[in-house]
Amino acid sequence: MEVTGEPLRHPLAQKFLAALEHSRKDGYVVTQPAGLTMPRGFLADAGRILDFPVRPDDVWVVSFPKSGTTWTQEMVWLLMNDLDFRTARQVCLPERSPFLEYSALVPEEGKAGIADTIELAQRMTSPRLIKSHLPPALLPKQLWTIKPKVIYVARNPKDAATSFYYHIRLMYDLKLPLEEYYDAFLANVVYYTPYWTNVLEFWKIRHESNILWNTYEEMKKDLRAVIRKTATFLGRIVTDEEVERLEEHLSFSSMRQNPATNYDGLVQRLRSTTGLPPVPQDLAFMREGEVGASRQRMSPEMDRRFDRWIQDNIRGTGYDGPI
Ligand code: PPS
C-alpha cells in the first residue's frame, strides 16, 4: 500500500504556512490513508515507515504531539533499563529512544544537519524504545501483526493544542497570534491534526493486551500509580524506593534541569542550521507542565468552540479520556 497526499486546500492553510518562518514552499498535504495533515516531504518517507521492520521486544510510545511523550519515554526507558539513572543523564533521550518520523518533518534546509531517524531506529540494538506521533494507519504495518508493547499517552486537546503552538514557535518561528493558531488547529490545518484521528483510534484498541493507555492527567495526579501500572505492563518489578527515585527523576523541575531530557540544546542547533535566530526568552521545551492552564489563554468564545468541537467529535464513541 502506498501513502498518497492531496494538497491541503483549506482557506486557512495559506495563512498558517505563510506564518512559518520556513514557509514550506512545498506546502502541506492530507494523507491517504488517515487524512492526516503533514508537510509534503513526509510522503517521501511514509512508505519506509509503513514497511519499517518491527521486533517483538520493541516498546513503542505513541501520542498526539505535546501529550507527555518525553515524560513517558523517560519513565519507560528507565523501567526497561534497570533504572540506569547514570546513562539516562549522560545520553540524551532522542539517542536512547528515537523519534521515528522526525527526519521526515524537518524542512529541506535543516536536513543536512540531522540523521535519518528511520535508519537510526532500524539500526538500534534491541530492546528498542521508539517514539512516534503517527495514527495507526500510518504506523509500521508489522505493529499489528508482531504486536510489540505499545504505550499510548493522551492529553486533553486544549492543553495539547496550546503546548503545540509554543512548540511550533520554538522550532519553526511560527508568527501567528494564539487565537488564529487555534482556528487553524480546529480546522485541521496544523501538521499532525486531526487530533481525534490519533486519540480515538488508539482509544478503541486500548484494551488489547499489547496496548497500555496512559494519560498526561493521570501522570500529573498520581505519577507513582502510573509508574507502577507501566512497570507491571512491561513485566518489571519495582520496589517502593525505586518508585520514589523514579518519581523524583521524572518531576517537571528535574526533567527541565536535565540536559538529556530538556531539548533546548537540540532546538538551538536545529534553529541555527535552518537560519533562525536564537530561541526567544519566553520559549522553552519544558514549558509549563500543568493541566488546564491553556484555558486561561483562550478567549471564552474559543473555549466554547473547543468544547463544542470536543462534543461533536466524541458523540457516540463512548470516549472517556481527558477532554
Ligand atoms: S513532543 O515534542 O510532542 O514530544 O512533546 P511531549 O513530550 O509530548 O509534550 C511536551 C509537554 O509535556 C510537558 N512535560 C512535562 N509535564 C510535567 N512533568 C514532566 N516531567 C514533563 N516533561 C514534559 C512539557 O512541559 C510540555 O507541556 P507544556 O504544556 O508545553 O508545558
Side-chain angles (χ1 to χ4, degrees), residues 5-8 24 26-29 38-45 104:
E6 283 291 311
L8 175 67
R24 298 279 189 187
D26 50 352
Y28 280 2
V29 292
M38 284 301 242
R40 180 173 287 283
F42 170 75
L43 294 177
D45 284 329

Side-chain angles (χ1 to χ4, degrees), residues 1-6 29-52 104 134-141:
M1 184 184 52
E2 203 198 336
V3 179
T4 57
E6 283 291 311
V29 292
V30 179
T31 67
Q32 180 57 38
L36 191 74
T37 296
M38 284 301 242
R40 180 173 287 283
F42 170 75
L43 294 177
D45 284 329
R48 277 205 300 148
I49 293 173
L50 277 183
D51 293 333
F52 181 84
L134 294 171
L138 296 174
L139 281 168
K141 285 178 290 193

Side-chain angles (χ1 to χ4, degrees), residues 63-73 99 131 133 153 155 159-160 162-164 166-167 216 220 223 249-256 261 263 284-290:
S63 60
F64 182 80
K66 311 317 284 182
S67 299
T69 329
T70 314
W71 201 5
T72 303
Q73 282 171 285
F99 175 13
K131 155 185 166 175
H133 292 311
V153 56
R155 186 182 193 184
D159 288 346
T162 306
S163 179
F164 205 14
Y166 291 101
H167 178 91
Y216 184 93
K220 282 294 288 186
L223 185 57
H249 179 91
L250 295 170
S251 73
F252 183 73
S253 58
S254 61
M255 279 186 63
R256 178 148 66 172
T261 52
Y263 298 161
F285 185 80
M286 294 283 170
R287 191 181 61 94
E288 197 167 57
E290 292 299 337

